[in-house]
Amino acid sequence: LRQFTDKTPYTIMFGPDKCGSDSKLHFIFRHVNPLNKEIEEKHCKKIEGRSKGSLEELFKDKKPHLLRLLIRPDNTFEVSIDHNLVNHGTLLDSFTPPVNPPAEIDAPTDKKP
């Protein structure tokens, strides 16, 4: 374990993080762009609403908790804390920046000839 640092490459990063008053549950994966071969980090969108409270409790109660990340072959995922679903989605739609960029990029300054 002494060989691991913050610079150690990873494929998937999953787990809780407490920075000051901000509580996070990270789910990040590294994706290789097939066109230019660049590696880009894709961050799961933040947990909002009711589930955010269960994340806050995770850090306050000082008890052990079961955090589970389930990734299915159809590119869907589920994140649960103590068997309670807190986040779900697809690897293609629920991350920023998106794995598949929009087909058309809006150019509001474009004008027809």
Side-chain angles (χ1 to χ4, degrees):
L1 288 175
R2 291 182 190 151
Q3 297 173 351
F4 290 106
T5 68
D6 60 336
K7 304 292 183 221
T8 302
Y10 62 89
T11 302
I12 294 176
M13 181 189 298
F14 174 70
D17 186 20
K18 177 82 171 160
C19 294
S21 63
D22 192 24
S23 302
K24 298 177 185 178
L25 181 58
H26 289 292
F27 174 21
I28 304 168
F29 71 92
R30 295 177 65 183
H31 177 260
V32 178
N33 183 323
L35 300 176
N36 60 15
K37 305 298 182 209
E38 287 183 11
I39 297 175
E40 188 174 48
E41 285 186 358
K42 307 293 183 178
H43 295 255
C44 188
K45 293 178 182 173
K46 286 187 175 184
I47 298 172
E48 300 295 339
R50 206 177 57 183
S51 300
K52 183 74 174 167
S54 62
L55 185 57
E56 294 291 335
E57 189 65 27
L58 180 79
F59 291 100
K60 289 181 181 176
D61 67 5
K62 306 287 185 193
K63 295 179 182 176
H65 294 276
L66 176 65
L67 292 102
R68 183 181 75 145
L69 170 63
L70 174 65
I71 302 175
R72 295 190 181 91
D74 64 355
N75 288 329
T76 60
F77 71 91
E78 290 182 357
V79 175
S80 60
I81 300 173
D82 297 331
H83 303 289
N84 297 313
L85 184 66
V86 295
N87 202 354
H88 62 91
T90 71
L91 297 177
L92 301 178
D93 300 329
S94 303
F95 287 78
T96 54
V99 173
N100 293 331
E104 285 188 28
I105 299 172
D106 187 33
T109 58
D110 267 0
K111 296 181 179 162
K112 292 184 179 184

